Amino acid sequence: MNEVIQPALKAKDYATNQEVRWCPGCGDYAIIKAVQKTMADIGADPANTVFVSGIGCAARFPYYMETFGFHTIHGRAPSFATGIKLVNPDLDVWVVGGDGDGLSIGGNHTMHAIRRNVDITYLLFNNEIYGLTKGQYSPTSRRGTRSPSTPDGSIDSPVNALSFALGANARFVARGIDRRQDHLPGVLARAHSHKGCSFVEVIQNCIVYNDGAFEHFTEKDVKADTQIECVHGELLLFGKDKKRGLRLNHDSLELETVIIGENGITEDDIIVHDETNRTIAGALARMEPPHFPMAIGVLYCDPADQSYEKAVLRQNRAVAEKATTKGDMNALLRRGATWDVAT
Amino acid sequence: MEGGAVAAQSSRHEVTDAVVRFAGDSGDGMQLTGTQFTQATAMAGNDLATFPDFPAEIRAPAGTTYGVSAFQIHFGSKVIRTSGDEIDVLVAMNPAALKTNIDDLRRGGLVILDTGAFTARNLSKAGYETSPLEDKSLEGYRILEIDMSRMTVEAVKDHGLGNKDALRCKNMWALGLIDWLYARDRTINENWLRQKFEKFPEVAEANIAALNAGHAFGETADFPTEFGAAYVAPARIEPGTYRALTGAEGAAMGLVAGAKLAGLPMLFAGYPITPASALLHTLAPLKDFGVTTFQAEDEIAAICAAIGGSYAGALGVTSSSGPGIALKTEALGLAIATELPLVVVNSQRGGPSTGLPTKTEQSDLYQAVYGRNADSPLAVIACHSPGDAYYAAIEACRIAVRYMTPVIFLTDGYIGNASEPWRIPDFEEHTPFPVRFRTDPEGYKVYERNLETLARAWVKPGTPGLLHRIGGIEKDHLTGNISYDPENHQRMTDARRAKILGIAKDIPAQEVDHGQNGGEIAVVGWGSTYGPISRAVSGMRANGHDVSHIHIRHIWPLPENLGELLRSYKTVIVPEMNTGQLVTVLRSEYLVDCKPVNKVNGKPFRIVEIEDAIQAHL
């Protein structure tokens, strides 16, 4: 990397010379490609960018990004990122982790980074499985998942990553899919531009331990009918000919899928996506095939006045200005009652 | 008796030192009373040491023995090193306080009782079958029975407080009496009350009325002479400007000073835990000193945020007590592997598990030196008193930034809460140790080491041309890229060990605190046992015994000359408030047959306990 920042860096300029050690065919390859494209699209300054990760397959990400990188410990990446931002809020900090990292061992830190609204971009790669430890079920695995640790099928209900984030009062929630290279970079760019904690779930296929887990909505022949792209200000329509849509049932206060032209349904019945509507975002986050399409894109975006670290530093400055000790160590040491002992 | 401290001095009998313990319900305000008496005593120029001893419950059921909170102060015109083995004056605000503390009163000592609290109900709650005021069980002590409750209510009646609030002023009544007993200037207490209750002037004035009433009671009551007022001359101590300092304040200001001497802002990340929270509370307002405090969601997040802060170019500091340090262990390993500076303060308390949160112990030495997975060396420093906490904290910061390593700074609940008069240093006299971040991209290798310190260069993210990745996976010894090469792991493990052991060349040689190099007996201590060991050794030396005191600050690595020094004594005794931890380290490092002396009852050693241990080896 040259010392001087070249304004016209290409996606490949954000790749390191390190040998990538993900399994051939892993969804992570597609995601890193999308991230590197995004970096080029937004003109990210590598020297001002830090990728922070925990542990897991996804967490190897920083080694492959030609930026600053900190590969930390399992589940704790958001905490390291918080410390980094508190010291240098000007750094562009990305957190990358998997579903086990961010929602199981690190669920607590994910929750608090979100509710504090630390200005980071959190990419949670969800493959519904523990890959690096060889295939155990994860907190996002569907009930009945057979794995080495659940040979007779998992018993417990999964957590929905975006519902979790919204529950923690996230101000930005989005979803992308590894296979949607046409869509994912746009989502990442939006997440990056959001001031505050932006939380992005990226659906990712684990080719070894959970291959095909998402093909019921990612395969070419079904995706049009099973994915809905949420775009602010536009009708929530999906399907090959965009004749299907989402309507709010005013009796149950739940979403339902309808077909325009059937049972008297017109476009007027279809919801216009308002990404500042928290209630609808919650409903969109919960949708799953087969009854609903999978919602992708920016489900919710409603920036706060100020991110956490900026507010902390502002308070620090305000208090410091009023302090009588004015940063003078001798004044601090002598503060309060003192007395002199003469010779 | 005539009032006025100065006029009264001639009629007061002079004592060289005294030990007073205030004891009452945990809601009686005994810690405040003790702290205020400490302030007045410090201002009077006495040397002093305190021992706050309180229950883990915030408000245990009133009147119970387990809800008793006590504050002990030892002060005098001589050098004071401990909070005192025996009490001279016990202020007992209820029967439970009397019951739990009377055994520590010396025979002939004075008990001042609030008879208003000696009701049948309170006597029963304290487990007294008969009243100690009537059953002769207090024979051999001098008893001063005063209905403080009634007199307090009487004194504050013009201030419009309800009976309950009025009674809450009785600790100030007791303070006023003790202020009188030792000729203290209570203006400092009055000023403090006015400041504390700035927004509630009627409360401030009621408390001051109680304080004055207690004082006036002392002046006017016709005491038998043996209860009479005492005079303690100012101590002959080193000239200078002094303040009262707790260990938490000492550590906090030392950390601030250390960051300043390193030229760095500080990110202090903590999570509430007794007795470590005082450090977070003390640092949180110091925003004009480049300190950012962060109350994390848990202990793990706290250390991770601190490491993140160091990674970004600040001095990362985290703080906890044993159970919280246990949670931080994995992250400590990362700081060791990524070779980032970090200061970890452990305010030790009784354990294992939740143990005795408010009681002191020094049983986390193994945890500090050995308590991590794998070969994970780091530096360990222990302070021995509130004032020493300041200097030890600076040293912890120095080692952390110079050697790019985590440093565990051991203090304990006793040091943290205790206070002593402290000669305030001139900050300008400290030697700065400014950090130089690497900014030159030419030939940068992430893990290339400084030949002298073996530390790698510290590079802030945001520095152009120095892009790199670090992490917990073993790294190539130069490039920092992931390396599973067997020879490289051997090399990196050796380098991490050599770096930490090399710190021994950069710390002072171990000195003998009191006594001489070589001889019959060395008493070797660390941490808060300093006071009782020091006093016991100086007492025994005055009686002609060949005993020396060695107190170790640098627990890891140990000073280079320590082995040779220990071998120069026939017997080495190691008193510790644990079941024998430093003693194990010393034996294993030096093959010296050190003799353990151990105590874990949640209280500091008494001088006499150390003396007995020495006596056994004479």
Side-chain angles (χ1 to χ4, degrees):
Chain A
M1 182 55 57
N2 294 330
E3 282 179 59
V4 181
I5 304 308
Q6 304 294 334
L9 290 177
K10 297 190 176 66
K12 66 176 171 53
D13 296 323
Y14 293 92
T16 59
N17 59 5
Q18 295 295 292
E19 183 190 346
V20 181
R21 297 188 187 206
W22 288 316
C23 307
C26 176
D28 289 352
Y29 285 96
I31 301 173
I32 201 166
K33 192 176 154 203
V35 171
Q36 286 164 349
K37 179 180 186 309
T38 306
M39 302 299 276
D41 290 348
I42 61 180
D45 173 4
N48 202 48
T49 304
V50 187
F51 275 82
V52 185
S53 66
I55 295 294
C57 296
R60 297 295 181 94
F61 207 91
Y63 290 112
Y64 313 134
M65 292 297 299
E66 186 62 10
T67 61
F68 283 91
F70 198 3
H71 180 211
T72 70
I73 53 177
H74 205 10
R76 322 300 175 197
S79 308
F80 290 95
T82 302
I84 293 169
K85 288 296 282 190
L86 280 169
V87 169
N88 187 351
D90 296 331
L91 290 172
D92 193 358
V93 178
W94 298 64
V95 171
V96 177
D99 40 306
D101 195 55
L103 294 172
S104 194
I105 191 168
N108 193 32
H109 311 304
T110 304
M111 170 170 81
H112 290 282
I114 291 172
R115 65 120 184 131
R116 286 193 185 101
N117 200 29
V118 183
D119 186 16
I120 55 175
T121 307
Y122 191 135
L123 309 183
L124 186 126
F125 301 1
N126 185 5
N127 58 14
E128 298 188 0
I129 208 79
Y130 280 89
L132 203 56
T133 50
K134 301 195 191 301
Q136 299 85 357
Y137 87 118
S138 91
T140 54
S141 296
R142 279 156 255 174
R143 280 168 83 163
T145 297
R146 290 179 189 273
S147 80
S149 58
T150 52
D152 304 306
S154 61
I155 307 282
D156 36 336
S157 298
V159 61
N160 177 312
L162 298 191
S163 296
F164 173 86
L166 285 165
N169 277 341
R171 312 295 303 236
F172 182 99
V173 160
R175 187 185 279 137
I177 299 174
D178 54 0
R179 297 175 73 173
R180 290 291 306 273
Q181 287 295 314
D182 60 321
H183 180 261
L184 184 55
V187 172
L188 297 175
R190 278 292 311 277
H192 175 266
S193 67
H194 173 78
K195 295 297 165 208
C197 183
S198 31
F199 186 83
V200 184
E201 178 189 27
V202 185
I203 302 293
Q204 176 241 332
N205 187 50
C206 173
I207 196 165
V208 174
Y209 295 108
N210 210 13
D211 194 23
F214 307 110
E215 62 186 18
H216 60 289
F217 65 87
T218 58
E219 284 292 295
K220 271 196 185 116
D221 54 341
V222 297
K223 67 178 184 184
D225 287 332
T226 52
Q227 295 177 12
I228 183 164
E229 290 181 29
C230 305
V231 180
H232 184 59
E234 294 189 11
L235 292 171
L236 284 166
L237 293 168
F238 65 108
K240 281 196 183 71
D241 47 9
K242 300 280 180 200
K243 285 292 178 202
R244 307 181 69 186
L246 296 176
R247 179 176 77 167
L248 183 67
N249 181 318
H250 290 271
D251 294 325
S252 68
L253 295 181
E254 290 186 80
L255 296 180
E256 56 191 16
T257 58
V258 292
I259 298 171
I260 293 171
E262 287 186 11
N263 301 321
I265 301 288
T266 68
E267 278 200 354
D268 291 344
D269 295 304
I270 306 300
I271 305 173
V272 174
H273 183 47
D274 173 5
E275 63 185 20
T276 65
N277 185 323
R278 194 170 191 84
T279 308
I280 297 296
L284 291 170
R286 285 192 297 275
M287 295 193 311
E288 279 178 17
H291 302 299
F292 288 99
M294 203 73 175
I296 61 173
V298 179
L299 275 58
Y300 183 67
C301 177
D302 186 16
D305 292 343
Q306 212 167 22
S307 58
Y308 173 72
E309 72 285 352
K310 291 261 168 66
V312 168
L313 297 182
R314 186 168 71 174
Q315 186 188 57
N316 280 3
R317 272 195 301 275
V319 175
E321 276 168 22
K322 284 188 202 151
T324 51
T325 40
K326 302 213 178 303
D328 174 5
M329 270 310 295
N330 279 329
L332 174 66
L333 294 169
R334 279 161 181 72
R335 198 167 60 175
T338 62
W339 66 96
D340 291 315
V341 173
T343 43
Chain B
M1 261 177 225
E2 287 302 304
V6 177
Q9 277 172 20
S10 54
S11 63
R12 290 170 175 264
H13 65 279
E14 180 161 354
V15 292
T16 56
D17 66 313
V19 179
V20 175
R21 186 184 292 176
F22 298 92
D25 252 338
S26 48
D28 274 345
M30 291 295 97
Q31 301 305 320
L32 280 180
T33 311
T35 308
Q36 280 307 300
F37 185 67
T38 301
Q39 286 288 349
T41 298
M43 296 296 279
N46 292 149
D47 198 6
L48 66 91
T50 69
F51 177 38
D53 187 16
F54 45 86
E57 293 75 18
I58 301 300
R59 290 276 190 279
T64 58
T65 52
Y66 54 89
V68 171
S69 174
F71 186 103
Q72 182 168 321
I73 173 170
H74 182 195
F75 54 97
S77 55
K78 62 176 194 177
V79 174
I80 302 295
R81 296 216 192 276
T82 75
S83 55
D85 278 12
E86 287 188 320
I87 312 171
D88 296 308
V89 177
L90 171 65
V91 180
M93 304 303 280
N94 67 6
L98 178 69
K99 182 157 196 177
T100 50
N101 289 284
I102 189 72
D103 289 347
D104 294 332
L105 189 67
R106 70 171 166 80
R107 300 309 286 180
L110 174 64
V111 190
I112 301 174
L113 298 166
D114 175 18
T115 54
F118 276 64
T119 59
R121 188 175 151 77
N122 279 345
L123 286 165
S124 155
K125 275 196 210 164
Y128 280 117
E129 287 175 8
T130 57
S131 171
L133 306 184
E134 290 153 14
D135 65 7
K136 301 190 176 175
S137 62
L138 295 178
E139 270 186 8
Y141 303 112
R142 295 173 295 149
I143 313 298
L144 186 52
E145 297 179 25
I146 308 169
D147 191 346
M148 288 187 220
S149 298
R150 187 183 58 76
M151 297 181 89
T152 302
V153 171
E154 178 71 15
V156 308
K157 67 175 190 294
D158 294 338
H159 293 278
L161 301 185
N163 193 54
K164 200 175 164 190
D165 284 337
L167 271 176
R168 292 181 68 177
C169 300
K170 77 175 183 175
N171 60 333
M172 289 298 112
W173 196 99
L175 175 63
L177 179 60
I178 304 301
D179 275 349
W180 166 79
L181 191 63
Y182 291 102
R184 299 294 171 232
D185 179 0
R186 64 190 187 286
T187 321
I188 186 166
N189 307 136
E190 286 182 28
N191 293 344
W192 176 82
L193 283 164
R194 288 209 172 90
Q195 200 182 336
K196 178 171 174 66
F197 296 111
E198 201 179 356
K199 291 183 182 143
F200 307 98
E202 69 282 9
V203 177
E205 293 311 315
N207 274 286
I208 290 166
L211 179 79
N212 288 337
H215 194 269
F217 179 86
E219 282 184 346
T220 55
D222 193 12
F223 284 126
T225 43
E226 69 266 29
F227 293 171
Y231 169 70
V232 185
R236 273 194 299 268
I237 44 183
E238 204 184 336
T241 303
Y242 281 74
R243 61 174 285 170
L245 185 80
T246 67
E249 290 167 341
M253 291 195 297
L255 290 169
V256 176
K260 202 137 191 156
L261 293 167
L264 299 176
M266 185 202 303
L267 177 63
F268 180 97
Y271 182 77
I273 182 171
T274 303
S277 302
L279 199 48
L280 172 60
H281 303 168
T282 309
L283 286 166
L286 303 184
K287 296 177 167 68
D288 52 323
F289 292 89
V291 178
T292 299
T293 54
F294 172 58
Q295 181 180 316
E297 59 270 26
D298 62 27
E299 296 283 3
I300 298 171
I303 186 171
C304 293
I307 295 171
S310 286
Y311 172 75
L315 177 62
V317 182
T318 187
S319 153
S320 189
S321 190
I325 301 292
L327 285 165
K328 297 179 192 296
T329 305
E330 186 196 8
L332 264 179
L334 180 73
I336 290 166
T338 53
E339 305 194 32
L340 286 168
L342 178 73
V343 177
V344 181
V345 185
N346 180 354
S347 300
Q348 299 167 94
R349 67 189 211 188
S353 188
T354 305
L356 303 170
T358 60
K359 307 296 176 189
T360 196
E361 208 162 276
Q362 36 179 194
S363 46
D364 294 346
L365 185 141
Y366 283 167
Q367 183 191 40
V369 178
Y370 302 129
R372 288 163 296 284
N373 59 305
D375 291 306
S376 311
L378 48 67
V380 182
I381 288 180
C383 67
H384 70 244
S385 70
D388 186 55
Y390 173 78
Y391 295 100
I394 291 176
E395 176 71 345
C397 297
R398 184 187 74 86
I399 291 175
V401 298
R402 180 162 158 83
Y403 292 89
M404 296 290 281
T405 179
V407 178
I408 292 184
F409 173 51
L410 292 173
T411 174
D412 62 37
Y414 175 54
I415 295 174
N417 290 318
S419 76
E420 63 180 9
W422 184 56
R423 187 173 168 275
I424 303 170
D426 180 356
F427 181 72
E428 307 308 324
E429 287 172 6
H430 299 324
T431 309
F433 39 88
V435 166
R436 284 185 196 85
F437 291 98
R438 175 154 185 159
T439 53
D440 179 11
E442 191 61 38
Y444 173 59
K445 298 271 190 296
V446 181
Y447 272 81
E448 194 170 26
R449 293 175 189 282
N450 176 299
L451 293 177
E452 189 192 344
T453 62
L454 299 183
R456 72 182 190 94
W458 195 355
V459 172
K460 286 196 257 193
T463 311
L466 289 175
L467 303 181
H468 67 277
R469 275 69 44 191
I470 55 171
I473 299 182
E474 186 63 283
K475 291 152 296 290
D476 179 82
H477 69 279
L478 281 178
T479 63
N481 292 332
I482 291 177
S483 169
Y484 295 116
D485 175 55
E487 291 308 314
N488 181 69
H489 179 56
Q490 180 76 51
R491 187 174 187 156
M492 287 293 274
T493 302
D494 293 345
R496 285 186 285 261
R497 177 179 149 81
K499 181 177 83 167
I500 298 303
L501 292 181
I503 296 169
K505 296 194 290 278
D506 188 25
I507 59 176
Q510 182 64 51
E511 290 182 1
V512 178
D513 191 80
H514 204 76
Q516 79 253 347
N517 285 325
E520 288 293 322
I521 296 179
V523 183
V524 179
W526 67 281
S528 69
T529 54
Y530 180 84
I533 295 176
S534 174
R535 186 52 80 190
V537 166
S538 58
M540 305 237 359
R541 288 186 66 81
N543 290 332
H545 297 295
D546 179 1
V547 187
S548 298
H549 175 198
I550 293 168
H551 216 75
I552 301 176
R553 159 176 287 178
H554 290 275
I555 306 293
W556 199 262
L558 291 159
E560 281 188 312
N561 66 326
L562 184 61
E564 193 189 340
L565 181 62
L566 295 184
R567 280 188 279 270
S568 69
Y569 299 92
K570 279 190 188 155
T571 305
V572 175
I573 303 172
V574 184
E576 294 179 85
M577 294 187 291
N578 57 44
T579 57
Q581 299 196 4
L582 177 66
V583 77
T584 309
V585 176
L586 296 179
R587 283 176 169 182
S588 106
E589 289 300 306
Y590 304 122
L591 294 174
V592 172
D593 185 19
C594 305
K595 310 288 186 196
V597 177
N598 306 106
K599 165 171 174 169
V600 282
N601 70 349
K603 295 187 176 188
F605 273 103
R606 289 165 179 241
I607 298 162
V608 65
E609 290 168 331
I610 308 284
E611 285 171 347
D612 287 350
I614 297 169
Q615 204 78 45
H617 289 96
L618 281 173

